[in-house]
């Protein structure tokens, strides 16, 4: 009965962790000191959300199986699962490439998280609802920050506009998956397709101000939610999990 | 008023512990010394993000990842406070950054050493931040107001940095055999560079010391270095590790630890750019700055457009 | 003035430095802003420091990220540094010293019996 809930919680955790990991790559390499600090803040928020979800998933696992045979912790869930077990959507694992792609990825995802967490606040599962409520404050800021940057870059210089077009071209194909419910989402009572129109409205509003075109319907990539990822995830996990894999059963 | 009177008034203020503020009259050399020192300090914070940032993606637990992210982010903040303090003396941040990238301005040589294992993150927090804090606590009383205030803020925030480093090593020192080796190895590699952070020996220069007279500095290199050795020599006992110095020994007469000779040739080589990572560090900073140029341009262009539109509306 | 300086941590002499290319400046530098933070309701905004931002919105967000990482604030003001007008230190004597002999403006000037509390 709780299996879908475990999967769903892991999905939420993986999304936050992988995007947090990606954003953290900017730390020390941002385009200007103030923005280096800003993107790191968002990364910190996301890692914090991931920890909350992983901790809850570990609790759920202990409720359903014997703790002594399957000890689960936030770290075992983040560090010892394989590529095929990760349930994050494809969007969050896409590379940073440049500031435009990082900004657009953040905008697409924060826009989604903002709507999702509002829904999740009302979920029957009080623990998920509590994490969502806490995270919503952070996400509200991420959405505002990334929206403003989309507008700045879209309506900035010819080069920044061009780079945003390129980013849209790269990332749009990963936005469909977000709104196609996996089995565990349906069973958890969260249907993301319901808030897709609101998501699209926000994109239209921001793109309009940014003088950027909203793409026509195109083919959408999917598979991340059920463990079929792009090649990027393997490399992300290789780095992320290296120490725990190299020195098993150690305290850090 | 003749210049001499200004200088006398200025020195009187210093002697009476009155802070110098941005618009006050100050000798040109005082301004220059402060710009050089504050900007070097700022550059050190920024370049210092790189060796540690190196391990954010590989941190061994989610808790350690979050702590390290927060710590490296703090360093960015500290760099920002310091650039702001230096800007009050009339040099723009962009000029300072250009000087860093051209090799004209320096940063603390310690950051030209590589971080090879996770234990290095612990060693940096404990030894490198520990050495930096000795200096920074002194600088909270420096004579230039904006610099002193930046240091107060920084010291307040830094208090967790050294502790988290020590804690990383403490966990390793109580861990598996492999972790203990990792811990000792990191201490071996970071100890001498950390001692070099305090700069050349006092005896290298016996003449008048303007920085002390102006109270930009309040303790000599050797005094600070000795304080540091005394502190670390005690703390390492808790770790059950050894400092890589056969001559390290308590001297009951001096009430200080004696310690061995620093390799000064290595010190000057690293300062001159021949450290293990000088090239990579500067390259990484230059690359970040160059790749960010279109972003800075776009934001400036957009701000200009929006201001123009508002003007049109008002007209 | 010619003296031999002694150099300290974080203060490496230029003559010992490596390369030396003349620095250049471009137009992409964002303006400087001064940041004022109210640390809690009921207190004044206090100068916290400065930062660079392209516009006011960005300046407020940067200030939030830079100066309130540890819950230091509940409200932020920013103003572009070039719009700050400051009194000149040379006039300090004429501006502030006349207040020195107006001790009657301070409550401690008045000697009241101990029985009179809370005044």
């Amino acid at each position: 009965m709780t299996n879908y809930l475990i999967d769903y919680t892991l999905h939420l955790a993986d999304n936050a962790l992988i995007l947090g990991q990606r954003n953290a790559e900017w730390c020390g390499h941002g385009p200007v000191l103030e923005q280096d600090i800003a993107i790191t803040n968002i990364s910190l928020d996301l890692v914090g959300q991931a920890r909350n979800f992983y901790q809850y998933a570990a609790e759920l696992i202990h409720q359903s199986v014997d703790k002594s045979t399957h000890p689960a912790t936030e770290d075992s869930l983040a560090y010892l699962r394989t590529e095929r077990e990760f349930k994050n959507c494809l969007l969050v694992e896409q590379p940073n490439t440049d500031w435009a792609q990082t900004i657009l990825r953040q905008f697409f995802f924060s826009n989604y998280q903002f709507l999702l967490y509002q829904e999740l606040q009302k979920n029957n599962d009080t623990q998920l609802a509590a994490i969502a409520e806490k995270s919503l404050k952070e996400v509200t800021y991420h959405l505002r920050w990334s929206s403003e940057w989309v507008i700045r870059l879209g309506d900035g210089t010819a080069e920044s506009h061009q780079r945003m077009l390129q980013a849209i071209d790269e990332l749009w194909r990963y936005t469909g998956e977000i709104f196609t419910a996996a089995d565990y989402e349906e069973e958890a009572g969260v249907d993301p397709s319901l808030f897709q129109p609101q998501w699209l409205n926000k994109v239209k509003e921001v793109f309009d101000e940014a003088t950027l075109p909203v793409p026509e319907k195109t083919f959408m990539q999917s598979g991340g939610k059920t463990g079929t990822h792009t090649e990027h995830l393997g490399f992300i996990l290789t780095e992320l999990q290296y120490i725990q894999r190299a020195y098993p059963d150690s305290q850090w | 008023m003749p210049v001499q009177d200004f200088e006398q008034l200025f020195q009187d203020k210093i002697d009476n512990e009155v802070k110098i503020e941005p618009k006050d009259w100050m000798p040109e050399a005082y301004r220059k010394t402060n710009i050089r020192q504050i900007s070097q300090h700022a550059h050190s914070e920024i370049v210092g993000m790189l060796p540690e940032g190196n391990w954010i993606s590989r941190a061994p637990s989610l808790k350690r990842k979050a702590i390290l992210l927060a710590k490296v982010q703090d360093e960015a903040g500290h760099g920002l406070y310091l650039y702001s303090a230096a800007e009050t003396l009339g040099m723009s941040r962009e000029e300072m950054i250009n000087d860093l990238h051209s090799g004209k301005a320096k940063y603390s040589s310690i950051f030209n050493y590589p971080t090879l294992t996770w234990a290095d993150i612990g060693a940096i927090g404990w030894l490198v931040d520990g050495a930096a804090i000795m200096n920074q606590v002194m600088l909270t009383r420096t004579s230039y107001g904006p610099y002193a205030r930046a240091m107060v803020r920084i010291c307040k925030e830094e208090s967790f940095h050294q502790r988290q480093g020590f804690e990383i090593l403490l966990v390793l020192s109580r861990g598996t055999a492999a972790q203990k080796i990792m811990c000792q190895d990191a201490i071996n590699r970071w100890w001498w560079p950390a001692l070099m952070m305090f700069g050349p020996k006092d005896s290298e220069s016996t003449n008048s010391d303007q920085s002390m007279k102006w109270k930009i500095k309040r303790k000599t290199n050797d005094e600070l270095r000795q304080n540091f050795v005394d502190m670390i020599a005690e703390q390492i006992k808790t770790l059950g590790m050894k400092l890589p110095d056969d001559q390290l020994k308590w001297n009951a007469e001096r009430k200080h630890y004696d310690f061995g000779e620093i390799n000064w040739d290595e010190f000057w080589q690293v300062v001159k750019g021949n450290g293990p990572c000088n090239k990579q560090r500067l390259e990484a900073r230059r690359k970040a700055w160059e790749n960010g140029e279109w972003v800075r341009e776009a934001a400036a262009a957009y701000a200009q457009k929006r201001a123009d539109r508002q003007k049109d509306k008002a007209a | 003035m010619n003296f031999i300086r002694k150099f300290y941590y974080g203060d490496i002499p230029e003559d010992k430095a490596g390369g030396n290319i003349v620095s250049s400046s471009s137009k992409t530098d964002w303006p400087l802003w001064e940041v004022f933070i109210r640390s809690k309701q009921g207190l004044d905004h206090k100068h916290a420091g400065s930062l660079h931002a392209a516009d006011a919105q960005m300046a407020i967000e940067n200030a939030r990220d830079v100066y309130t990482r540890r819950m230091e604030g509940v409200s932020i003001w920013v103003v572009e540094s070039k719009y700050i007008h400051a009194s000149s230190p040379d006039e300090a004597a004429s501006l502030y010293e006349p207040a020195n002999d107006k001790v009657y403006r301070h409550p401690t000037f008045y000697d009241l019996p101990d029985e009179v509390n809370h005044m």
Side-chain angles (χ1 to χ4, degrees), chain B residues 99-152:
Chain B
D99 283 352
L100 171 70
H101 294 172
S102 73
K104 187 179 168 202
K106 296 284 122 184
Y107 55 89
S108 181
S109 289
I110 192 80
F111 302 117
N112 290 319
Y113 290 88
T115 46
L116 302 179
T117 71
W118 171 250
D120 290 28
I121 300 305
I124 288 184
W126 178 43
L127 297 174
V128 176
D129 291 336
I133 287 167
M134 308 230 78
N135 186 56
Q136 290 173 344
V137 166
M138 171 191 75
L139 285 171
T140 59
R141 294 167 56 234
T142 192
S143 59
Y144 187 56
Y147 193 19
R149 288 191 288 276
M151 291 320 304
V152 169

Side-chain angles (χ1 to χ4, degrees), chain A:
Chain A
M1 177 257 174
T2 49
N3 271 348
Y4 72 84
L5 193 55
I6 294 171
D7 283 351
Y8 184 55
T9 308
L10 285 173
H11 158 71
L12 295 171
D14 293 345
N15 271 344
L17 177 64
I18 300 301
L19 188 54
Q21 178 86 355
R22 273 294 189 220
N23 285 339
E25 291 172 19
W26 279 106
C27 186
H29 307 274
V32 66
L33 203 42
E34 285 82 353
Q35 297 306 323
D36 200 306
I37 293 171
I39 191 80
T40 305
N41 246 355
I42 293 178
S43 178
L44 260 176
D45 287 344
L46 289 167
V47 172
Q49 290 174 22
R51 292 185 66 192
N52 287 329
F53 286 126
Y54 283 130
Q55 283 164 11
Y56 181 47
E59 246 175 69
L60 292 170
I61 289 168
H62 292 155
Q63 283 166 22
S64 64
V65 295
D66 184 4
K67 195 172 176 172
S68 58
T69 56
H70 290 87
T73 63
E74 58 172 270
D75 286 330
S76 74
L77 293 173
Y79 286 83
L80 300 175
R81 284 184 306 135
T82 64
E83 292 93 320
R84 303 280 280 126
E85 292 170 294
F86 265 71
K87 296 171 182 29
N88 59 280
C89 54
L90 301 175
L91 176 69
V92 295
E93 68 199 40
Q94 298 312 305
N96 289 329
T97 315
D98 66 5
W99 188 248
Q101 295 213 26
T102 297
I103 289 295
L104 188 67
R105 187 182 62 203
Q106 192 62 47
F107 169 64
F108 284 160
F109 193 72
S110 295
N111 186 5
Y112 158 72
Q113 265 194 325
F114 180 72
L115 298 164
L116 170 71
Y117 286 169
Q118 279 181 323
E119 269 309 298
L120 213 52
Q121 280 189 111
K122 297 177 253 168
N123 198 276
N124 290 334
D125 188 292
T126 53
Q127 189 62 33
L128 282 186
I131 300 174
E133 191 189 344
K134 182 177 175 290
S135 309
L136 187 59
K137 293 187 193 106
E138 299 167 352
V139 171
T140 306
Y141 180 74
H142 304 169
L143 178 58
R144 180 175 135 180
W145 180 86
S146 57
S147 302
E148 284 167 5
W149 266 108
V150 168
I151 294 166
R152 257 182 219 120
L153 297 181
D155 193 19
T157 59
E159 179 177 5
S160 68
H161 186 81
Q162 190 52 43
R163 282 176 186 265
M164 282 306 287
L165 293 179
Q166 180 66 29
I168 295 170
D169 192 47
E170 292 288 334
L171 297 177
W172 187 256
R173 75 191 71 172
Y174 300 111
T175 58
E177 180 196 21
I178 299 173
F179 301 102
T180 314
D183 292 350
Y184 51 77
E185 283 177 287
E186 278 174 17
E187 291 198 55
V190 182
D191 182 359
S193 69
L194 292 179
F195 46 80
Q196 186 168 23
Q198 281 167 275
W199 184 86
L200 204 56
N201 279 342
K202 179 74 179 176
V203 171
K204 280 183 182 143
E205 176 200 317
V206 171
F207 275 24
D208 194 43
E209 208 181 329
T211 68
L212 293 167
V214 178
E216 300 293 313
K217 277 198 165 57
T218 52
F219 180 75
M220 290 293 179
Q221 301 289 337
S222 65
K225 286 178 176 181
T226 48
T228 309
H229 293 273
T230 57
E231 289 178 346
H232 301 297
L233 185 71
F235 291 101
I236 295 176
L237 294 184
T238 301
E239 220 173 302
L240 189 141
Q241 300 180 336
Y242 146 70
I243 295 186
Q244 292 261 357
R245 300 282 188 190
Y247 305 89
D249 303 318
S250 307
Q251 297 298 310
W252 301 95

Side-chain angles (χ1 to χ4, degrees), chain C residues 69-114:
Chain C
R69 293 199 302 285
R70 289 175 173 76
M71 301 174 291
E72 293 97 333
V74 294
S75 164
I76 295 173
W77 290 349
V78 294
V79 58
E80 234 185 291
S81 309
K82 67 179 180 193
Y83 294 123
I84 298 237
H85 295 269
S87 62
S88 159
D90 306 339
E91 294 157 9
S94 61
L95 284 175
Y96 313 115
E97 276 171 26
N100 276 353
D101 59 359
K102 298 184 178 63
V103 282
Y104 44 82
R105 284 188 188 276
H106 297 276
T108 47
F109 179 73
Y110 302 93
D111 203 9
L112 297 189
D114 291 345

Side-chain angles (χ1 to χ4, degrees), chain B residues 209-246:
Chain B
D209 186 346
Q210 197 65 33
S211 275
M212 292 286 269
K213 190 176 165 218
W214 280 339
K215 295 186 181 168
I216 297 173
K217 290 283 183 176
R218 287 168 176 269
K219 284 185 179 178
T220 70
N221 296 357
D222 284 342
E223 279 177 83
L224 286 169
R225 186 165 19 236
Q226 183 68 61
N227 292 348
F228 178 71
V229 171
D230 291 347
M231 177 178 83
I232 297 297
E234 286 301 315
Q235 289 174 352
I236 197 162
K237 293 176 183 167
T238 312
L239 293 177
M241 297 282 149
K242 275 190 64 176
L243 292 173
D245 181 357
D246 295 337

